[in-house]
Every structure is written in structure tokens, then in C-alpha cells.
Amino acid sequence: PPPPLAHGAASNPVGALESLLRQEGIEPSRFLRAEESLASPFWCVVRVLDGTGEALGRSGGHSKKKEAKKAAYHDALSSTRLRELLQERRAAVQTSLSTAGAAGGAVGQRHPAD
């Protein structure tokens, strides 16, 4: 089953997704972008900016551009792939912190028995 949506996601999925990314220490404009149609019927695709351009959310057939964007962001928020990407990022950050901590932690440390 898809992960639960963030609070307020139904009324403002764009803000909810951006808030989620900021909580993870990610600047939204560096993580994803929205591609939108310029004419009706409106569509929107939310893509990750990781070199793959993978679609996290999409919508189509809307009479209003704003509704297409909201629907695509809502789709991205409920995406299992988004959760996987965030989990992978957390793991990479933990690994780099652990590696830096292990290397830096031993330098200048005194053993309690000294």
C-alpha cells in the first residue's frame, strides 16, 4: 500500500511535497521539477532531478492548469518511489556521517584509561 499522505496534502499537495523535502534537508528545486502543458487539456509530470528524469507523479486531462499540477504533486506524494528515493538518500547521508565520524572521531581522542 502507498505511504500515508502528509497532513494538508489534499488541499495543497505542492506545498506538502516541498515541506516534506525540506524536512529531509532537500531543496525542492534541486530535487524535482514539474513539466506542464501550455494548452488545454492540461497535464503535468513531476520528475526527479537525479539524471534519470524519472516521473514521480503525473496527471492529465484537466481543464485548469493549477488542477493538473495539484494532481501530479498529489500523485508524487503518494508515490512509493519517492519514499524509496528519500530512504536511499537518508542511508547515503548516514553512511557518509558514519565514515566521517569514524575517521574524525579517533583523532585526538583520549582513552578513558589514559
Side-chain angles (χ1 to χ4, degrees), residues 26-65:
I26 301 169
E27 175 55 41
S29 64
R30 294 181 180 268
F31 185 78
L32 55 82
R33 76 170 185 270
E35 298 173 355
E36 303 173 83
S37 61
L38 300 176
S40 183
F42 293 103
W43 55 264
C44 181
V45 178
V46 178
R47 295 188 183 280
V48 66
L49 295 175
D50 65 353
T52 66
E54 181 178 358
L56 295 177
R58 61 181 77 227
S59 70
H62 293 271
S63 60
K64 296 181 180 179
K65 189 173 185 176

Side-chain angles (χ1 to χ4, degrees), residues 97-108:
L97 289 176
S98 296
T99 303
V107 176

Side-chain angles (χ1 to χ4, degrees), residues 14-33 47-50 56 81-93:
V14 176
L17 180 54
E18 289 177 352
S19 176
L20 172 68
L21 293 174
R22 286 191 180 100
Q23 288 172 7
E24 294 288 331
I26 301 169
E27 175 55 41
S29 64
R30 294 181 180 268
F31 185 78
L32 55 82
R33 76 170 185 270
R47 295 188 183 280
V48 66
L49 295 175
D50 65 353
L56 295 177
R81 183 64 184 136
L82 173 65
R83 300 294 185 245
E84 291 169 354
L85 288 169
L86 293 177
Q87 186 62 37
E88 289 169 14
R89 185 180 182 285
R90 276 187 224 116
V93 168

